[in-house]
Amino acid sequence: MTSANDEGVRLQKVLAKAGVASRRAAEDLIAQGRVSVNGEIIREFGRRVDPDNSVIRVDGTRVVLDDTMVYLALNKPRGMHTTMTDDQGRPCVGDLVRDRAERLFHVGRLDADTEGLLLLTNDGDLAHRLMHPSFEVRKTYLAEVDGAVPRGLGKRLREGIELEDGPARADEFRVKDMQAGRTLVEIVLHEGRKHIVRRMLAEVGHPVRKLVRTSVGDIHLGNLRSAHLRALTRKEVGSLHTLVGM
């Protein structure tokens, strides 16, 4: 008769298959108390788990065990539409992943004139949570705006301004660079209303000339070239799951 302890897969084997570490290194992680299963710190090398149903974390970051899931970062170019197909034949995000076997979709949107970081995945549950306002996922933008920005503008935006569809506020705001006739600012916010950054800055008298999204949560655009994709790292994927409580 098979005991409950004989069912499942050894934890260190699961960690190794997920690409966390070799089996030997996984044993070290377990011995150090850095691995948890369903909220319980595990220190036994022989512990068996159900890879399909267990929530495994290393150093608090969830380990994604389903190797059919795909998580990509795209640097969306200006002029490209955030759709997977376009019936008018305009360039769209779907053009860049058309040859992939997985059915991918974009997490949220960037308008055609905005460039920068866009996440693509086939993980519907994660995508839904990342887009849901209740999880308040922070997004960072660099905006080139008209005019010189006054000293008190950051405070005004952080306190909130009134738009036609309700109040809006920035979580963070800072001036990055100033030159004659224009200013480069960084703005962080957690809501995703349509054209929200452009509308906020226009409302305070600084229309946007150029807008780039540089991060979503802990995922950063970095030096990813325009119209190029990269796979998210295991740590980045885990950070997104942690961010939305998965």
Side-chain angles (χ1 to χ4, degrees):
M1 183 175 179
T2 303
S3 69
N5 194 50
D6 292 329
E7 297 175 355
V9 183
R10 287 183 182 272
L11 180 55
Q12 57 265 48
K13 183 177 180 180
V14 172
L15 292 173
K17 185 178 179 182
V20 174
S22 67
R23 288 199 200 183
R24 182 63 178 270
E27 291 179 353
D28 290 339
L29 292 173
I30 294 168
Q32 293 163 16
R34 296 167 60 185
V35 181
S36 68
V37 177
N38 299 329
E40 176 192 358
I41 298 294
I42 304 299
R43 295 181 182 272
E44 311 158 34
F45 295 155
R47 176 65 68 95
R48 292 179 180 268
V49 299
D50 177 358
D52 295 329
N53 297 298
S54 299
V55 175
I56 300 173
R57 299 182 188 275
V58 176
D59 294 333
T61 299
R62 183 167 179 172
V63 178
V64 177
L65 304 175
D66 188 346
D67 57 11
T68 67
M69 292 297 180
V70 175
Y71 307 89
L72 302 172
L74 165 67
N75 185 350
K76 187 192 85 64
R78 188 172 186 174
M80 178 172 280
H81 291 261
T82 307
T83 56
M84 300 313 288
T85 60
D86 188 87
D87 55 11
Q88 299 179 44
R90 298 172 297 183
C92 66
V93 167
D95 296 338
L96 301 178
V97 293
R98 192 142 292 147
D99 295 334
R100 295 189 66 101
E102 308 89 4
R103 183 176 180 272
L104 299 172
F105 45 91
H106 48 85
V107 180
R109 290 179 176 271
L110 291 175
D111 63 65
D113 288 333
T114 300
E115 56 193 283
L117 181 63
L118 185 69
L119 302 180
L120 302 172
T121 185
N122 58 352
D123 187 338
D125 191 16
L126 175 65
H128 173 74
R129 288 177 177 236
L130 288 171
M131 291 186 285
H132 199 283
S134 65
F135 290 101
E136 300 188 345
V137 176
R138 286 159 59 98
K139 306 168 190 72
T140 304
Y141 298 82
L142 281 177
E144 183 180 301
V145 302
D146 284 332
V149 171
R151 183 181 296 272
L153 183 62
K155 181 180 179 182
R156 181 180 174 190
L157 288 170
R158 287 191 296 271
E159 289 177 346
I161 58 174
E162 194 67 33
L163 301 177
E164 67 273 11
D165 56 351
R169 68 174 186 85
D171 295 322
E172 298 177 24
F173 180 88
R174 61 181 62 87
V175 173
K176 303 290 286 185
D177 187 34
M178 295 183 69
Q179 295 183 11
R182 65 100 182 172
T183 305
L184 184 66
V185 301
E186 183 179 79
I187 184 168
V188 182
L189 36 74
H190 60 260
E191 65 167 291
R193 277 182 282 170
K194 190 173 182 179
H195 303 310
I196 187 66
V197 175
R198 294 180 184 277
R199 291 193 290 135
M200 287 177 69
L201 291 172
E203 180 67 24
V204 295
H206 296 280
V208 172
R209 291 182 177 181
K210 181 179 180 181
L211 186 62
V212 181
R213 183 158 70 189
T214 59
S215 72
V216 175
D218 291 331
I219 314 304
H220 299 278
L221 183 63
N223 58 4
L224 184 62
R225 290 186 293 166
S226 181
H228 281 65
L229 296 148
R230 71 168 178 86
L232 299 189
T233 66
R234 177 190 63 80
K235 185 174 182 180
E236 286 175 324
V237 174
S239 76
L240 290 176
H241 281 87
T242 299
L243 185 64
V244 295
M246 295 178 70

